[in-house]
Amino acid sequence: MYQLFFDTDEDVTLEWARKYNAILISMPYAINGEEVFPYKDWEKFDSKKFYDTLRAGNANPTTSALSAQEYIEYFEPVLKEGKDILYVHFSREMSATFNSCDAAIAELKKKYPERRIELIDTRGITMCSFLSCIQFGEMAKQGKTIDEILAVKDDIIYHNATYFFADNLKFFARSGRVSGFSAFMGGMIGIKPVIYISNEGKMVSIDKAVGRKKVLDKLLSYVIKKEDHLKDYPILIAHADAMPLVEEFKEMMFKQFGRDLKIEVIDVNPTAGCHCGPDVIGVGFHAKER
């Protein structure tokens, strides 16, 4: 027997975690120094309130890594029960939190040498990771073993593509997490960078457009170019309190591919939202390649 773990940086909510009998690791954020743990300090994410706080301009959003002890507190009760662990997590390239995770696992393996702890790096974050969580979660529900899941993990991960755009550039500029982003700075009013998540698990700025309508056209063009058996897999539209853009993009997708697409609309989690800011929209889908 094994216990499945996800984390909140993957846009996984308590509802989704419970669907797959997974334990959800809470990745903290802070607003003006007040630390919050998603789905521990509250059960439902009020995305409107959160992103309005960022829009107001007087918030200082930050994020921080978990300690090794905090990981131990998640993992050890499961190991004590005699279960193994499979933790599907967001990209190691995006956070130092996995140094703490590694330290915790090293300590726990000494204490529970008979138990198995396996990690799957989704090489993504938010909707990109969410797609992988859904697929690995379904496999776990079907009774697949850890080894059976590990055997197909790369095929799943590297065919989950994510493209999105930044509306308020100051949040991404401050976060420093997007490769090539500085090329789009310099007071260029109306410029919207298009960002994707690479095979290495990094956010990379690869395109741009002027205005929201044109950047939505760009997102659609990447889906058209990259999609692979699109209707056989869930499609995610993630947003940071940008429902009008979501509805517009959904209609563009339906017009292009038909209304039988399996589209799920999800909120960008607040920890990631500290780095992207409000009014972000992106699409995650099954692709020939990222």
Side-chain angles (χ1 to χ4, degrees):
M1 293 181 63
Y2 65 91
Q3 175 63 57
L4 189 63
F5 281 82
F6 300 141
D7 61 59
T8 57
D9 268 4
E10 298 172 303
D11 290 341
V12 177
T13 63
L14 273 181
E15 181 181 2
W16 279 98
R18 288 166 179 161
K19 181 176 180 180
Y20 299 116
N21 194 31
I23 293 175
L24 189 58
I25 295 177
S26 182
M27 295 296 173
Y29 66 94
I31 300 293
N32 296 328
E34 183 178 347
E35 192 169 53
V36 180
F37 285 83
Y39 303 104
K40 292 178 71 176
D41 293 331
W42 39 253
E43 187 162 324
K44 187 172 178 58
F45 175 38
D46 187 341
S47 62
K48 177 68 175 172
K49 180 180 178 180
F50 175 81
Y51 287 111
D52 275 348
T53 299
L54 299 191
R55 286 189 185 99
N58 55 3
N60 180 30
T62 59
T63 60
S64 57
L66 294 181
S67 67
Q69 181 57 38
E70 286 171 311
Y71 279 107
I72 288 171
E73 289 169 4
Y74 276 108
F75 294 150
E76 188 164 22
V78 171
L79 300 174
K80 280 184 176 179
E81 291 178 8
K83 294 181 182 178
D84 295 329
I85 287 173
L86 178 61
Y87 175 21
V88 180
H89 61 78
F90 76 99
S91 175
R92 184 177 285 268
E93 291 287 336
M94 295 189 193
S95 177
T97 196
F98 297 108
N99 295 330
S100 297
C101 187
D102 291 343
I105 290 171
E107 184 174 338
L108 289 169
K109 283 185 173 179
K110 293 177 184 176
K111 196 171 180 180
Y112 303 92
E114 73 285 2
R115 296 270 59 86
R116 186 176 181 186
I117 306 173
E118 296 286 352
L119 273 59
I120 294 180
D121 186 341
T122 61
R123 306 281 178 160
I125 198 168
T126 67
M127 73 195 103
C128 187
S129 294
F130 192 103
L131 283 169
S132 295
C133 289
I134 290 173
Q135 289 165 286
F136 293 131
E138 290 294 338
M139 292 182 72
K141 278 184 71 173
Q142 294 164 10
K144 301 295 185 183
T145 66
I146 288 179
D147 286 328
E148 287 174 315
I149 292 174
L150 293 177
V152 298
K153 69 178 180 64
D154 286 350
D155 188 54
I156 289 173
I157 289 166
Y158 294 119
H159 289 283
N160 287 332
T162 295
Y163 292 82
F164 60 100
F165 78 88
D167 192 71
N168 191 327
L169 306 188
K170 71 177 184 181
F171 291 95
F172 272 114
R174 184 170 55 199
S175 78
R177 281 172 164 78
V178 183
S179 174
F181 187 77
S182 60
F184 293 100
M185 300 302 291
M188 296 181 291
I189 297 173
I191 292 288
K192 311 295 182 187
V194 177
I195 298 164
Y196 92 114
I197 299 182
S198 70
N199 282 340
E200 294 74 34
K202 297 179 180 180
M203 292 187 289
V204 181
S205 189
I206 58 164
D207 209 338
K208 60 185 175 182
V210 179
R212 291 180 174 181
K213 177 61 175 71
K214 289 185 177 179
V215 82
L216 291 180
D217 289 338
K218 288 277 189 181
L219 293 184
L220 181 61
S221 73
Y222 281 108
V223 179
I224 294 170
K225 179 181 178 181
K226 298 281 189 175
E227 67 92 6
D228 181 48
H229 296 91
L230 193 67
K231 296 184 179 182
D232 294 335
Y233 296 87
I235 300 163
L236 301 180
I237 300 177
H239 70 109
D241 191 34
M243 275 305 297
L245 292 177
V246 169
E247 293 302 329
E248 184 176 352
F249 189 68
K250 278 177 67 177
E251 287 304 313
M252 291 169 67
M253 290 283 288
F254 288 146
K255 183 177 180 180
Q256 178 68 38
F257 298 106
R259 304 196 74 86
D260 54 341
L261 298 176
K262 294 179 284 191
I263 294 177
E264 289 274 358
V265 177
I266 61 174
D267 293 314
V268 175
N269 71 82
T271 312
C274 288
H275 298 288
C276 72
D279 302 308
V280 169
I281 178 176
V283 59
F285 58 99
H286 188 265
K288 300 181 187 77
E289 60 185 2
R290 286 193 174 185

